[in-house]
């Protein structure tokens, strides 16, 4: 899929910092001066990978985020960077704009989510924009090879490590599509692969519709920019998920109760993942097991 909601003529990416073990992270945001220095390092790296990138405007925030904060419908972090850069003085073109913290506060809505702090992969988002044909060529080059060959320079990785006060195992560059592909693989390994098509639709084609309709998974419909999750009555749940189960004995009834409790825990897990990605969730009471209840 192509991201219909992606800002036109822009390349959306991130410096990905893979952290080492359980090493602590000293700070989530840099000062303005530090952010500017980090942006200069990133600009040099990107130009080394694709020389035409040097003729585009690079906009970066000196802060790091969890992948779910970047992978949200409408790409809100990248859009905020683009909107803030549009208000920056000076001529657009081959310039580098960095946003850092002033009195420990980042501008706009760039403050990292404290609830998403502490993961092993942290991302410093950036936007490249400029002349349409050049931006398109750079974007195509990045999509073809950035994931495989886009290692950050040693000076960049060292500066990020010292400035943020963290221990970096690897530092590389990704496009948002690379990040989405990596996340899809991680969710597959974590047992959440069935949910990814719903998230992918919300990210890349938010005006379209997607279903998670694969028992024993919960029933989810993504439509009109929200995820609707079926909240079944006990009888409706049994009709859909345990139609052949016996409840003639006390042990059988207890087994059904445990199965439904596990199902409800799975519903809560899926709702939490969707919300972490910025997808609104509505639970819809269903008296029967029909899909029409989520219309």
């Amino acid at each position: 899929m192509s991201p219909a909601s992606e800002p036109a003529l822009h390349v959306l990416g991130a410096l990905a910092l893979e952290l080492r073990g359980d090493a602590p992270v000293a700070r989530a945001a840099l000062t303005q001066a530090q952010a500017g220095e980090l942006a200069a390092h990133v600009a040099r790296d990107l130009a080394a990978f694709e020389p035409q990138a040097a003729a585009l405007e690079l906009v970066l925030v000196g802060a790091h985020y969890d992948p779910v904060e970047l992978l949200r419908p409408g790409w809100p972090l990248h859009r905020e960077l683009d909107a803030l850069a549009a208000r920056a003085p000076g001529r657009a073109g081959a310039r580098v704009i960095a946003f850092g913290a002033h009195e420990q506060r980042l501008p706009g809505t760039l403050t990292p989510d404290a609830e998403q702090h502490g993961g092993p992969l942290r991302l410093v988002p950036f936007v490249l924009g400029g002349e349409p044909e050049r931006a398109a060529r750079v974007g195509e080059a990045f999509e073809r090879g950035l994931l495989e060959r886009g290692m950050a320079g040693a000076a960049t990785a060292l500066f990020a490590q010292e400035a943020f006060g963290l221990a970096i195992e690897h530092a590389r560059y990704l496009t948002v599509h690379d990040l989405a592909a990596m996340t899809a693989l991680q969710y597959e390994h974590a047992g959440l692969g069935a949910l990814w098509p719903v998230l992918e639709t919300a990210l890349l084609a938010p005006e379209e519709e997607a279903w998670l309709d694969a028992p024993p998974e919960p029933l989810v419909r993504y439509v009109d920019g929200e995820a609707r999750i079926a909240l079944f009555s006990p009888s409706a749940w049994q009709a859909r998920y345990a139609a052949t189960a016996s409840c003639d004995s006390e042990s059988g009834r207890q087994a059904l109760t445990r199965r439904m409790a596990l199902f409800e825990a799975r519903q809560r897990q899926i709702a939490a993942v969707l919300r972490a990605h910025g997808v609104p969730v509505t639970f819809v009471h269903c008296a029967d097991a029909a899909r029409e209840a989520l219309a």
Side-chain angles (χ1 to χ4, degrees):
M1 291 185 179
S2 296
S5 57
E6 181 175 316
L9 312 178
H10 287 73
V11 181
L12 311 186
L15 170 62
L17 307 175
E18 184 180 339
L19 306 189
R20 187 181 307 142
D22 297 325
V25 176
R27 59 196 65 87
L30 305 181
T31 66
Q32 181 61 50
Q34 290 172 319
E37 189 169 350
L38 178 60
H41 282 293
V42 170
R44 284 192 291 271
D45 286 350
L46 296 180
F49 180 80
E50 171 51 58
Q52 292 189 77
L56 298 177
E57 177 182 81
L58 170 67
V59 187
L60 176 144
V61 57
H64 56 83
Y65 305 82
D66 188 88
V68 299
E69 296 180 82
L70 272 67
L71 293 177
R72 288 175 175 170
W75 316 105
L77 275 175
H78 288 94
R79 283 190 177 276
E80 180 70 354
L81 282 176
D82 188 46
L84 290 170
R87 300 200 294 268
R91 297 192 311 168
R95 62 177 181 172
V96 177
I97 299 175
F99 295 102
H102 176 66
E103 296 180 349
Q104 300 184 338
R105 295 186 63 180
L106 288 163
T109 58
L110 295 178
T111 300
D113 186 346
E115 293 185 1
Q116 303 298 337
H117 189 71
L121 181 65
R122 307 300 296 174
L123 299 160
V124 179
F126 64 79
V127 175
L128 281 171
E131 191 274 322
E133 291 187 5
R134 179 176 289 114
R137 288 194 296 269
V138 171
E140 290 170 3
F142 281 11
E143 296 295 352
R144 286 196 306 269
L146 199 61
L147 180 62
E148 293 183 1
R149 299 186 285 115
M151 293 299 295
T156 305
L158 181 60
F159 179 81
Q161 179 167 271
E162 293 177 348
F164 286 120
L166 42 76
I168 296 176
E169 189 72 32
H170 301 288
R172 64 182 314 109
Y173 294 99
L174 308 169
T175 68
V176 291
H177 301 95
D178 294 332
L179 179 61
M182 288 175 54
T183 303
L185 185 60
Q186 290 169 354
Y187 281 10
E188 184 70 33
H189 291 165
L192 288 165
L195 181 60
W196 183 252
V198 174
L199 278 170
E200 184 180 49
T201 300
L203 290 171
L204 304 183
E207 73 288 350
E208 297 184 8
E209 179 179 338
W211 285 86
L212 171 53
D213 185 3
E217 296 287 4
L219 180 63
V220 182
R221 181 190 185 194
Y222 174 81
V223 66
D224 296 333
E226 70 171 2
R228 302 173 186 175
I229 300 179
L231 195 62
F232 295 109
S233 66
S235 59
W237 173 83
Q238 183 174 354
R240 178 176 171 85
Y241 295 98
T244 61
S246 173
C247 53
D248 295 335
S249 64
E250 181 63 24
S251 61
R253 290 188 289 273
Q254 289 179 356
L256 272 179
T257 298
R258 289 192 296 271
R259 283 181 62 183
M260 188 169 182
L262 290 172
F263 173 82
E264 290 171 339
R266 180 65 164 179
Q267 280 186 316
R268 292 191 294 272
Q269 180 191 29
I270 285 177
V273 172
L274 288 165
R275 286 172 174 148
H277 281 277
V279 180
V281 173
T282 300
F283 284 95
V284 180
H285 287 274
C286 300
D288 57 40
R291 285 164 51 112
E292 289 74 13
L294 297 185

